[in-house]
């Protein structure tokens, strides 16, 4: 009977812990699409998307509440570039790099990783690593943030209608809806 009571107390603590974390949940929408406006499916984040040098693409983000957004590009040679580091106001959609521009895949060939970090709070350590410009320091901080994500508080990604105009996309385009406790780290891998 004593063991049963301990198990019940443990389960209640886990439930209230998860519920407390979910009170601070924020949501955002994300899309990765090519120059023709076709959504590139990235729901399986373990696989790399195959693309060719010269192909153009962009990202689209829209937070449901004010959120800090950071985007870093780890090129195949290990160099890391910072593509975006700003706050996005609630319900505003952002096209990266810009509404009428695209990122273009260029050599060196290999696997390129784009890290999209969306956070309810400012990530000062990450910003400091960006300022230092040390690729390994940036990757270490992104790794730390990924480990800080609470898997119990994460809600699986799901299709979401894009709520704001994104030039070049069809009206019925779908983004990926994401939710997290206070921070979400997404990695997009491109093999070229």
């Amino acid at each position: 009977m004593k063991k049963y009571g301990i198990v019940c107390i443990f389960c209640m603590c886990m439930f209230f812990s998860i519920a407390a974390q979910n009170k601070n949940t924020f949501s955002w929408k994300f899309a990765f699409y090519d120059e023709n406006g076709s959504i590139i499916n990235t729901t399986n984040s373990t696989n790399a998307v195959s693309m060719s040098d010269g192909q153009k693409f962009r990202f689209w983000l829209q937070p449901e509440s004010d959120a800090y957004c950071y985007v870093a590009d780890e090129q195949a040679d290990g160099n890391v570039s910072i593509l975006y580091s700003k706050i996005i106001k609630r319900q505003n959609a952002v096209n990266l790099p810009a509404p009428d521009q695209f990122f273009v895949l260029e050599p060196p060939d290999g696997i390129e990783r784009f890290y999209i970090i969306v956070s309810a709070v400012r990530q000062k350590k990450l910003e400091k690593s960006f300022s230092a410009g040390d690729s390994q320091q940036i990757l270490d901080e992104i790794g730390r943030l990924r480990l800080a994500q609470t898997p119990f508080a994460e809600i699986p990604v799901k299709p979401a209608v894009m709520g704001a105009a994104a030039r070049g996309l069809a009206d019925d385009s779908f983004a990926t809806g994401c939710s997290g406790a206070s921070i979400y780290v997404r990695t997009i891998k491109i093999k070229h």
Side-chain angles (χ1 to χ4, degrees):
M1 194 68 168
K2 196 181 227 185
K3 289 180 185 180
Y4 177 74
I6 292 172
V7 169
C8 286
I9 291 172
F10 175 75
C11 289
M12 288 176 56
C13 289
M14 288 298 295
F15 173 78
F16 288 118
S17 172
I18 291 169
Q21 289 173 350
N22 283 334
K23 269 179 33 183
N24 298 323
T25 298
F26 70 97
S27 300
W28 58 291
K29 296 175 187 172
F30 168 79
F32 171 38
Y33 57 99
D34 66 18
E35 64 186 310
N36 299 321
S38 298
I39 298 289
I40 300 168
N41 186 357
T42 59
T43 53
N44 184 349
S45 60
T46 59
N47 294 336
V49 175
S50 292
M51 298 177 79
S52 303
D53 285 346
Q55 261 188 289
K56 298 177 181 179
F57 63 93
R58 78 171 79 169
F59 300 115
W60 177 90
L61 298 154
Q62 182 184 33
E64 298 297 317
S65 57
D66 291 358
Y68 290 88
C69 178
Y70 308 92
V71 180
D73 171 20
E74 179 187 4
Q75 297 158 8
D77 62 5
N79 288 322
V80 178
S81 304
I82 307 314
L83 305 177
Y84 194 79
S85 177
K86 294 182 181 176
I87 190 169
I88 302 175
K89 293 296 183 182
R90 174 184 171 279
Q91 294 294 329
N92 287 342
V94 174
N95 280 293
L96 299 174
D100 294 322
Q101 297 176 354
F102 291 90
F103 295 115
V104 180
L105 286 175
E106 297 175 350
D109 291 348
I111 294 185
E112 194 162 343
R113 290 173 177 83
F114 290 86
Y115 301 98
I116 296 103
I117 299 106
V118 181
S119 175
V121 295
R122 187 174 181 184
Q123 297 298 317
K124 293 179 183 178
K125 286 183 180 180
L126 182 62
E127 291 175 8
K128 187 176 178 181
S129 71
F130 287 177
S131 298
D134 179 343
S135 294
Q136 190 56 53
Q137 184 180 354
I138 294 167
L139 293 174
D140 289 346
E141 185 57 25
I142 291 171
R144 186 191 69 77
L145 292 173
R146 182 184 310 278
L147 290 174
Q149 286 180 179
T150 306
F152 294 117
E154 291 301 317
I155 299 168
V157 296
K158 61 184 185 232
V161 176
M162 294 175 74
R167 290 187 192 142
L169 286 177
D171 290 338
D172 60 350
S173 293
F174 284 86
T176 301
C178 306
S179 297
S182 64
I183 188 163
Y184 195 93
V185 180
R186 180 95 187 253
T187 303
I188 303 297
K189 293 185 250 181
I190 301 174
K191 182 180 181 181
H192 63 103

